[in-house]
Amino acid sequence: MPLNNNLQIGNNIRKWRVLKGFKQITFAELIGTSKTTLSKIENGKSAVSVPRLQKMAVCLNIKTTQLFSDPSDLLPPPPINHKPIAGKAA
């Protein structure tokens, strides 16, 4: 069953917030809301307005449209470790 839009956006907001190193209370203060309201947004229990999305994006130093994407989808894959196995010739 697909996630509803509020939950998808809320999950993305949480992931971006964590990725950028913000605690929930600090981020809530930066965007001018309470921790409770931010929690409701991140859990998909409350819709978020476009002006608030724009403010979040500014605080996170990303484009507003990026809040509609999971940040892990935008990160490059981890590097491949090419170390030889111990005792084996490379």
Side-chain angles (χ1 to χ4, degrees), residues 14-86:
R14 177 185 293 113
K15 288 176 183 178
W16 278 109
R17 174 182 61 76
V18 171
L19 182 69
K20 297 291 186 162
F22 288 105
K23 297 219 179 269
Q24 198 173 45
I25 186 69
T26 306
F27 191 61
E29 290 170 356
L30 284 172
I31 63 169
T33 194
S34 69
K35 182 181 173 194
T36 302
T37 299
L38 179 57
S39 178
K40 287 179 182 178
I41 291 168
E42 289 184 348
N43 288 304
K45 295 179 180 172
S46 180
V48 59
S49 67
V50 171
R52 182 159 284 152
L53 281 171
Q54 292 169 328
K55 191 163 192 172
M56 288 176 173
V58 168
C59 291
L60 294 168
N61 196 29
I62 61 173
K63 296 177 183 175
T64 304
T65 55
Q66 288 179 276
L67 291 171
F68 296 95
S69 301
D70 185 324
S72 59
D73 292 341
L74 305 173
L75 299 174
I80 298 172
N81 187 349
H82 292 289
K83 290 183 183 177
I85 299 173

